[in-house]
Amino acid sequence: MGMRFVSAFAAAVLLTVSAAGATLHRGNQSEPDTLDPSKATGSWESNILGDMFLGLTTEDAASNPIPGAAESWTVSEDGLVWTFRLRAGATWSDGVPVTADDFVFSFRRQMDPATASQYASMLYDIKGGEEVNAGKAPLETLGVRAVDANTLEITLTHPAPYLPQLLMHQITYPVPKHQVEKFGDDWVKPENYVSNGAFKLVSWRPNDSVVTVKNEKFYDAANVKLDGVVFYPTDDAEAGLKRFRTAELDLNIGFPSSQIELLKRTLAAELKVSTIVNVRYIVMNTLKKPFDDPRVRKAISLAINREVITGQIIKAGEQPAYSIVPPGTAGYSDGPRLSFEAMTMPERLAEAKRLLEEAGYGPSNPISFRYNYISDNDSKRVAAALQGMWAAIGMKVELVVMEKKVHYNTVRAQDYEVAEANWFADFNDAKNFLFLAQPSAGDMNMSRYTNQAYEDLIRKSDQERDAAIRAGIMREAEALMLEEYPITPMYYGVSRNLVHTWVKGWEENLLNTHRSRWMSIEGKP
C-alpha cells in the first residue's frame, strides 16, 4: 500500500467533525496492512473495516450476531442451504445499490487463488470453496448464488451452526463490484473507496491515522450517534497510554501490563479488563530442522514456565495455558491438556533435556534458533524470559523483533523457525482454534503441520450434527495435536482496554469486538 496523504478536503472534513465534538479517537494497536476486507488479517484492521462494512450478519454491542446486510434468513432442514434476504433499498456510500450479486462477486474474489487471501481457508465450509481456492475448479462453482437482486443463497459442505458468527468476519464482507471492476486493486484508495457500513473512509495517512465519517446512506444512520471515527496506530503501548491520559485518545486498545497496578489506582473507571476467548501460543516451523522432530518441539514447550510469565511478567489476569482451545469457548469443555501439566518445573526441564539428548542434541551439539516476536512491551519482556528458559535446557536463542503486521507476514511466509503468535476468536467455536494447525488451512497453519489423522478428525467433526458428539471428536483432534507440538499454548489472554468515561456504549464481550456504531460521546470536557 503506497502513501496516502490527507487531502485538503479530508482535513476540512476532519476539522468539521472535530468541531462537532462527536468524533471518536481510537488507539488501534497497529498500522493496517490493507483496508481490503478480502486481504486483511489483523484485529487492528478488523476494527476499522467492521466500522465501514456490513456483512450479511453483524455484531451488537456485546458481539452477538444480529441481522446485518441481510434482514432475515432461512436454513434448510439438512443445515446445508442458507437463504439470505437483503435489506431493500440498501446502497453503497456512493448511492449505488448493494445487491446479492455484490456478495457473489465478493465471495468468489475471496476464494480466487489470484487474490491470495490468507484467510480463504476459513470459508472452506462453503461448497466448492477448497477446490476453487486451490485453482482446481472455476469460480462459478462456488456454492454462493444470487437468486435475485435481494436474495442470496449459500450452500455448505456440512452443517455449520456457527455460520451467523462467521458471517460477521471481514472476509465475508461485500466489496463494491462496480469499483473493483473499474479500479482493480486501486479501489482501496480513499478517492475510490466506498463501503456499506455505518462509516465511510475519508483518508489514510500511514503511521498516522485512518479517518472515517458517518455514512449518511447507511440504513440505520439515524441511530449512529458519532459524526466520525479516527483510528491511530499505537504499537508503542507506553506512548498510547500517554496519549490516552492527555485525552488525545478517547479509547485505546491495549496498555502495558507493567502499568496495571498504577492504572488500577489512577484510572480505575477507565480500565477495562475482562475475559476473552484468546490464546497466546508458540508456533514452530515443522518444515525446518530440527523443528520437524516432535521431541525437539516438546522440549521447547516443556521449558516454558507459564506460571512465571503470567504471575511475574504480565499480570493483568492472564492465565497459564495448557490447551489451544481456551476456556469460555462455546460448547466445548473438559478439553485435553498438555500431558506434563502436573509435573514440576525441575521435572519438566529434566524431561526436556532427556528428549533433546534422545534427538541427538546436548552440550556438545546445542540447538540454536531464531525466535520471532512482536515489538510491543509485553512481548519484549516475555521474549527475554523465554530466551532464559530455553537457555536452561541448553538452547541458544537469537531474538528477532518486528512490527506486528511485518511479524505475521514474515511468519506466514515461513521465514522463521520459532515464533510468537496470538489468536482472538473470529467466532466462538473450538474449530476456530483447531484450524490453526489444520493441514488444509493454508497460510493460517503457520507451522505447516501435516498430520492427516488430525485433518480427518476435523473434517469428521464438521459432518457431525450432534453438538456433544462433535465436541468429542474435536477434543480427540486437539489431544492428538497437543502431543505433537506444532503449536504450543503459552497463556490465555484478557482484554486490556482503556475507555474514557465520556465514551458511552462500550460493552465488554468475549470476542473483544467493539464497533463504533454503538458508541457515543457524552460530557467530554
Side-chain angles (χ1 to χ4, degrees), residues 11-25:
V13 170
L14 180 55
L15 286 172
T16 301
V17 169
S18 298
T23 299
L24 183 69
H25 295 269

Side-chain angles (χ1 to χ4, degrees), residues 58-89:
T58 190
E59 306 93 342
D60 65 12
S63 263
N64 299 306
I66 59 172
E71 61 184 5
S72 63
W73 55 87
T74 58
V75 188
S76 63
E77 273 192 36
D78 61 6
L80 298 180
V81 181
W82 294 62
T83 305
F84 296 86
R85 187 68 181 169
L86 303 188
R87 294 184 184 279

Side-chain angles (χ1 to χ4, degrees), residues 285-354:
N285 192 337
T286 64
L287 299 182
K288 294 185 177 182
K289 291 185 177 298
F291 312 104
D292 59 339
D293 189 329
R295 294 170 297 187
V296 172
R297 300 196 299 261
K298 184 174 183 179
I300 288 172
S301 182
L302 279 159
I304 299 170
N305 192 324
R306 293 155 177 83
E307 286 70 22
V308 164
I309 290 173
T310 57
Q312 299 179 27
I313 299 174
I314 49 169
K315 298 179 287 186
E318 294 83 358
Q319 296 297 316
Y322 290 90
S323 66
I324 286 295
V325 181
T329 303
Y332 193 87
S333 58
D334 301 318
R337 313 276 287 180
L338 291 175
S339 58
F340 58 75
E341 181 179 9
M343 294 170 64
T344 65
M345 275 311 300
E347 289 171 338
R348 294 181 195 181
L349 294 177
E351 175 64 5
K353 291 176 182 177
R354 186 193 69 77

